[in-house]
Amino acid sequence: MSHSRLLQTLPNWLTLAQFAPAYKRLLLPVALIVLVVNPTTRLVTVNTLSDAFWAVSSYVAVTLAIYHYLSGFFSQDNRIVNLYQNSRNHQVLFAALLGALPGCGGAIIVTTQFVSGRVGFGAIVAVLTSTMGDAAFLLLASKPDIGFAIIGLGVMVGCVSGWMVNEIHADDFLRPDTQQLPPSVDVCRKATRRVELHAINLQGVFWKWLLVPATAIAFMGSFQLDINQILSLPTMTIEWIGTALIISSTLLWSLTKEIKDYESTVAEDTKQVSSHPIQKAAQDTNFVTAWVIIAFMAFELFSFFGQIDISTSFAGLGVWMPLIGLAVGLLPGCGPQILVTSLYIAGVAPLSAQLANAISNDGDALFPAIALAPKAALVATVYSAIPAFIVGYGYYFLFEI
């Protein structure tokens, strides 16, 4: 009997498809546990994960909580959002400001309004140029002065780019024929499995109880205080607690969504509009944390096993670094952009690479743009790469060479 005939005779629960791993994200927490258990990698893993939790995740969580509380006071359909529809030059300004909002919400608003005919193509270029996606949260939490400076620069570059595009193209340039959103496009996927719903809810509970104490410990750590000594704890206690907490948060994140394609891998998790601000902050924090872990652990393990200074190796790339940051920025999704920002925070990537990436990257907003207006999305992405090249290499030749 042939292999295909044999499979047809088996009951459904015995077919190979039933044994496909549903949550491939679980590979991350499992790998972290293996690294912690292994005596060879235990110390470097615990120190790295502890730093990632206390110095990054905690600050990202409180930054996101503040952001989501504030954003709750504003509706997407308000006078400010509607005002910019009356002037194509005002459209560019307001689109750049919406793109500057951390996360991808503002960019998605402009994308859908371009498709529906309420804003022009210049606004699309402006918003995709100014947005940093979720990488903005990480940068604001870790280096707020640099974060606000890059966001402000993104707004200026976005405005100039949008106004220049307005001089070249009409408002309806590459706009799809339909004047309304296709009902088949589902930008926000809802969790349908019970395990996903439980994991999402547990993420909210996790950060609801940890937000204040974690922020307090992170704040003390920023002043180089020995927290173990202050709290009369044995050596490495706080480090082990941070490791346990970040693995727990990663485990919860791994169960909230299946990985089916590129978008489901690099895009942030869906959040319900009606969810509590802490719940939204928790989901975003764990998404950012997972990508930060990947960057930090890859950096530390390469250095540990290869006995090489990766910072020096990247510095040797010199003139290529802004181009690398730009190229990564062209990839859809927030995940790759968080990797670049993590490398910049760790001192591996120079500021020129971060600047080029911040201006060229479109975050998760590129996914609905590709789905709704693929030609416009492609051309707008290419247009955003031009100022990214100029700014990245301008900073490199002025301050880094």
Side-chain angles (χ1 to χ4, degrees):
M1 183 181 294
S2 67
H3 180 67
S4 59
R5 292 288 300 276
L6 177 61
L7 287 178
Q8 292 176 3
T9 62
L10 294 174
N12 289 336
W13 59 273
L14 282 179
T15 59
L16 296 177
Q18 302 299 318
F19 296 98
Y23 298 100
K24 301 177 183 66
R25 285 175 165 185
L26 276 169
L27 291 172
L28 181 58
V30 169
L32 295 178
I33 292 173
V34 171
L35 290 171
V36 170
V37 171
N38 190 326
T40 304
T41 56
R42 180 178 301 152
L43 183 60
V44 65
T45 302
V46 169
N47 285 327
T48 301
L49 293 182
S50 174
D51 288 343
F53 184 80
W54 299 120
V56 178
S57 295
S58 299
Y59 280 125
V60 170
V62 71
T63 302
L64 280 162
I66 294 172
Y67 172 80
H68 284 299
Y69 268 111
L70 291 177
S71 65
F73 290 102
F74 301 96
S75 169
Q76 294 182 358
D77 185 20
N78 55 43
R79 292 181 60 186
I80 295 178
V81 173
N82 294 327
L83 176 63
Y84 74 155
Q85 298 170 8
N86 299 322
S87 166
R88 64 198 311 248
N89 287 331
H90 290 164
Q91 287 176 11
V92 169
L93 173 61
F94 282 103
L97 291 173
L98 284 172
L101 295 174
C104 302
I108 292 175
I109 292 173
V110 178
T111 298
T112 55
Q113 292 195 337
F114 167 73
V115 175
S116 61
R118 285 180 282 179
V119 299
F121 184 71
I124 281 285
V125 174
V127 76
L128 293 183
T129 301
S130 65
T131 190
M132 276 188 67
D134 286 350
F137 290 119
L138 176 58
L139 194 58
L140 288 172
S142 302
K143 293 180 178 288
D145 53 341
I146 299 296
F148 282 114
I150 291 180
I151 288 174
L153 178 64
V155 172
M156 290 189 291
V157 174
C159 286
V160 172
S161 300
W163 288 328
M164 291 182 67
V165 167
N166 275 347
E167 297 298 320
I168 302 173
H169 299 296
D171 285 346
D172 60 352
F173 178 68
L174 296 179
R175 178 177 287 141
D177 293 334
T178 178
Q179 294 299 307
Q180 59 184 2
L181 298 180
S184 60
V185 175
D186 183 16
V187 175
C188 296
R189 171 189 172 276
K190 296 183 179 179
T192 56
R193 298 192 178 191
R194 292 183 62 184
V195 64
E196 296 179 23
L197 294 173
H198 285 310
I200 290 172
N201 291 333
L202 284 174
Q203 285 186 87
V205 174
F206 179 91
W207 280 108
K208 174 183 177 181
W209 293 105
L210 280 177
L211 187 62
V212 173
T215 303
I217 293 175
F219 189 73
M220 289 190 290
S222 297
F223 287 93
Q224 305 301 314
L225 300 177
D226 189 336
I227 302 171
N228 289 315
Q229 184 179 11
I230 293 174
L231 300 179
S232 300
L233 298 173
T235 305
M236 293 292 292
T237 299
I238 283 295
E239 287 77 5
W240 276 103
I241 291 174
T243 299
L245 291 175
I246 202 167
I247 291 178
S248 299
S249 68
T250 306
L251 180 61
L252 292 175
W253 166 81
S254 69
L255 296 174
T256 56
K257 185 169 68 173
E258 295 182 48
I259 292 180
K260 298 179 179 179
D261 48 27
Y262 175 80
E263 179 178 352
S264 62
T265 303
V266 302
E268 67 180 18
D269 290 352
T270 301
K271 297 177 292 296
Q272 298 295 326
V273 176
S274 59
S275 294
H276 192 277
I278 296 295
Q279 178 66 59
K280 296 178 181 178
Q283 290 181 249
D284 284 340
T285 298
N286 288 350
F287 169 76
V288 172
T289 297
W291 284 94
V292 168
I293 290 173
I294 293 173
F296 280 15
M297 287 305 305
F299 170 71
E300 294 295 340
L301 291 176
F302 271 117
S303 300
F304 180 76
F305 286 109
Q307 297 298 309
I308 57 175
D309 187 346
I310 297 183
S311 299
T312 303
S313 300
F314 270 77
L317 294 175
V319 71
W320 296 105
M321 287 304 297
L323 188 60
I324 293 173
L326 187 156
V328 176
L330 297 179
L331 298 174
C334 290
Q337 323 314 330
I338 293 173
L339 288 178
V340 173
T341 302
S342 299
L343 292 175
Y344 166 68
I345 292 171
V348 178
L351 183 55
S352 59
Q354 176 64 63
L355 288 170
N357 177 264
I359 294 175
S360 66
N361 99 67
D362 306 325
D364 290 345
L366 197 56
F367 288 120
I370 292 173
L372 301 173
K375 293 181 180 179
L378 177 61
V379 174
T381 299
V382 173
Y383 280 169
S384 70
I386 297 173
F389 184 90
I390 295 172
V391 171
Y393 276 101
Y395 187 89
Y396 173 79
F397 286 113
L398 287 173
F399 301 105
E400 293 180 354
I401 196 171

